[in-house]
Amino acid sequence: MRVFLAALATLAAVSAQAAEWQTYSNDRYGFTVEVPPGFVMQRAPDNGDGGTFLGRNGDRIFAFGTFLVDLFFDDEARNRIAQAKKLGWDISYSRIEPDWASYSGTKGDRILYVRGNWLCEDAAAFVHLEYRSRDRKAYDAIVKRMIASLKPVGCPE
């Protein structure tokens, strides 16, 4: 049974890679990111901060931006990690660089993965994924593609 479930998870990951991904663009902060098939965008906030995408099984993706007011990108990332801990996430991995940051952790049977990229004009974009821990292997490919697709738009060269 475990072999069957592992094969099913692998098939789901391959299907997610092959199916039609959608590109989410945020004009307010100037970034794009690809969102996997099976996720439906919910009503976007009126202020244009980002988008929330829900999967069929309750998985969630948040893609949003923020202006870096009176702090550097690495400080923003540290603040977000501290907030995740306050919300009960057991953060087991974090890496902060001057222009990007990633962190992940668990809460119960859920996994959190967040990637942030510094954008031009003192802004940052973040992609926040929450999914079931039993789907971890299938999400490895999804996370990898989303990280690669998170890009600034309209920055001066």
Side-chain angles (χ1 to χ4, degrees), residues 83-98:
Q83 183 63 32
K85 289 178 179 179
K86 285 181 186 176
L87 292 173
W89 290 98
D90 178 18
I91 303 300
S92 57
Y93 168 80
S94 65
R95 182 168 174 190
I96 301 172
E97 297 294 331

